[in-house]
Amino acid sequence: MPKKVLIALPPAMLEQVDFIAQCEHRTRSDLIREALRRYLDNFRRTQGTPLAISTMDNAETPFATTLS
């Protein structure tokens, strides 16, 4: 079950997120999840830092490593 997280965004950033979500016919949450997914993947690849992800909300392969 996904957990809810409260984040604060500057108004201009939120407007951009909402605009892109509307253009792509996606929810705000879906867009932010995708952005975080890409950030975490990039971090893992560039830093070589293992991350533990026990579950994913789609069919992607989870990271099979642990937190250091």
Side-chain angles (χ1 to χ4, degrees):
M1 182 78 185
K3 294 187 177 189
K4 293 182 181 183
V5 176
L6 178 65
I7 62 169
L9 299 175
M13 183 182 287
L14 184 57
E15 285 180 27
Q16 291 176 13
V17 167
D18 287 342
F19 177 77
I20 294 169
Q22 182 180 11
C23 288
E24 295 186 354
H25 305 287
R26 300 167 73 174
T27 65
R28 181 189 286 168
S29 290
D30 185 47
L31 187 69
I32 293 170
R33 267 192 303 273
E34 177 66 22
L36 282 170
R37 213 176 271 123
R38 289 179 186 211
Y39 180 88
L40 292 169
D41 185 51
N42 183 60
F43 182 88
R44 181 178 52 89
R45 283 185 284 114
T46 60
Q47 301 296 316
T49 303
L51 299 173
I53 306 293
S54 60
T55 59
M56 298 287 282
D57 63 342
N58 59 24
E60 292 182 54
T61 304
F63 304 136
T65 55
T66 58
L67 284 170
S68 315

